[in-house]
Amino acid sequence: MTANCILERVTETKSTNDDLLIRWRAGELLDPVARIAHHQTAGKGRAGRSWLAKPGDSLSFSLAFPFKRSPAELSGLSLLVGLAVIHGIAQASRLDEAALHAQGLRLKWPNDLLLNNTKVGGILIEGGQTKIGDPTWMVIGIGINLHHAQLFERELGDQASQKVGSLDQLLPKTSSLPDTEFIWLKLIESLEHFLTDFDQNGFSTYQSQWEKWDSYRDQAVIITGVQQNPINGIAKGIDSNGALLIQHDHQILTIVAGDVSLRAQS
C-alpha cells in the first residue's frame, strides 16, 4: 500500500461516497483517501438505488483517487475496479484467482460482482474534474456481502433485482473469512495498484482479462434503459474501451455504461 493513502474508519455514516464527494467539491482532497464504515445507513447503488449494508455481515467503503486523465479518458474504469476487487479477494482469502473462477465468481457488466449468478457486491463511481488541468477525482464506492446471504435476501424482499450471495460461500464450511479489516486493506492495496496502472495505460490492456470473468458472455440478454424499447441480443463481450457488445439483428451494437440494466433472458 502506498504511503500517501489516508485510511479512515468510522462507526456509522449515511454514505462513505457522499462523505468523500463533499470534501472533493470543497477542494479538501489532496491525497487518496479510503473511508470504511462499520454501518452505512444510506448506502447508494447505481441510478439512485439504495444499497443495503448490515454491520458485521457486509463491507462498505469508498476510495477517493486522483487521476491525471480527464473524465472522458476514464472509460472502462468500473470494469477495471471489478478486476481489482477480484484480485484483492484472492489475496485476502489466500485463494488463487483460478480457484475463485472455478467456484463461480464472475463480473457482470458494468459494475457487479456475482457468485453463481447471485449478487455478492456492487461498485458505484462518482466524481469528476472541477476545471481543466486539475486532477480528476473519482470516488469509488464498493459494497460486498460477507456473511449470511439469506438475511440480505429476506430483508430486501421484492426489492432484490436478483438472488443475493455472500463471500463466505466461496469457502468450505470448515473455513471462515479473514477479519473485515484485513479484507479491506487487501482490497485497497489491489485498487491502488490497478488504478495507478490504469491511469498510465488505460483499459485496453485489461480487455481480455475482464472477458475471462464475464458472467453473460454468449448468453441471450436484455438491455433496458438505452432507449424506449428493450434490446434483446447475444452478449459478445466488450470492446477495448469497456463498452458492452450486443449481437442484435445481425449487427453488433455498442452499449456504453450509463443508466442501463443488463439481465439474462428468461
Side-chain angles (χ1 to χ4, degrees):
M1 187 178 301
T2 60
N4 66 338
C5 183
I6 300 166
L7 302 179
E8 298 180 348
R9 303 162 179 86
V10 296
T11 301
E12 182 174 300
T13 190
K14 288 184 177 180
S15 163
T16 53
N17 257 41
D18 283 350
D19 293 346
L20 295 179
L21 284 168
I22 289 169
R23 283 149 63 180
W24 163 61
R25 294 184 182 112
E28 296 174 358
L29 295 179
L30 298 175
D31 294 314
V33 180
R35 184 174 176 85
I36 189 171
H38 175 68
H39 186 205
Q40 194 167 227
T41 60
K44 301 186 298 181
R46 290 175 65 237
R49 302 178 185 95
S50 61
W51 178 266
L52 177 63
K54 297 178 73 65
D57 286 332
S58 58
L59 170 62
S60 302
F61 74 96
S62 299
L63 171 66
F65 192 90
F67 292 91
K68 297 174 184 175
R69 291 171 171 260
S70 69
E73 297 171 320
L74 296 179
S75 58
L77 178 58
S78 66
L79 280 65
L80 183 282
V81 171
L83 291 173
V85 168
I86 285 178
H87 181 77
I89 290 171
Q91 294 295 305
S93 63
R94 295 183 175 87
L95 295 172
D96 61 36
E97 293 186 18
L100 297 178
H101 190 279
Q103 290 184 71
L105 196 64
R106 295 291 188 274
L107 293 171
K108 176 187 172 185
W109 185 92
N111 64 343
D112 285 344
L113 183 69
L114 305 184
L115 177 59
N116 296 316
N117 294 318
T118 66
K119 186 168 180 176
V120 172
I123 298 160
L124 174 67
I125 302 178
E126 303 174 281
Q129 187 180 49
T130 52
K131 64 177 184 291
I132 295 175
D134 280 1
T136 300
W137 279 94
M138 303 307 292
V139 177
I140 300 164
I142 295 173
I144 300 176
N145 305 329
L146 300 178
H147 309 281
H148 303 128
Q150 68 278 9
L151 297 181
F152 284 94
E153 197 159 284
R154 191 179 307 139
E155 189 161 335
L156 285 168
D158 294 338
Q159 298 177 54
S161 57
Q162 65 185 106
K163 287 192 170 294
V164 179
S166 52
L167 214 55
D168 62 345
Q169 295 170 332
L170 282 167
L171 303 176
K173 292 184 179 179
T174 54
S175 301
S176 58
L177 286 175
D179 179 79
T180 303
E181 173 86 0
F182 182 75
I183 299 172
W184 179 53
L185 293 175
K186 286 298 182 183
L187 288 171
I188 294 300
E189 190 176 294
S190 178
L191 283 162
E192 286 196 289
H193 170 75
F194 275 76
L195 296 175
T196 299
D197 184 73
F198 174 87
D199 201 18
Q200 295 172 351
N201 302 305
F203 178 76
S204 60
T205 57
Y206 291 96
Q207 178 183 357
S208 61
Q209 185 179 344
W210 192 91
E211 288 184 328
K212 292 177 184 177
W213 298 94
D214 185 354
S215 60
Y216 284 167
R217 180 67 191 248
D218 293 324
Q219 292 188 40
V221 297
I222 300 175
I223 301 288
T224 55
V226 179
Q227 55 189 35
Q228 190 170 7
N229 296 319
I231 298 173
N232 297 295
I234 305 297
K236 288 297 180 182
I238 57 173
D239 67 12
S240 60
N241 293 315
L244 179 66
L245 302 177
I246 297 292
Q247 182 179 322
H248 173 76
D249 290 343
H250 308 292
Q251 61 179 325
I252 298 294
L253 304 180
T254 301
I255 311 295
V256 298
D259 185 13
V260 299
S261 175
L262 166 68
R263 59 185 174 87
Q265 291 185 30
S266 55

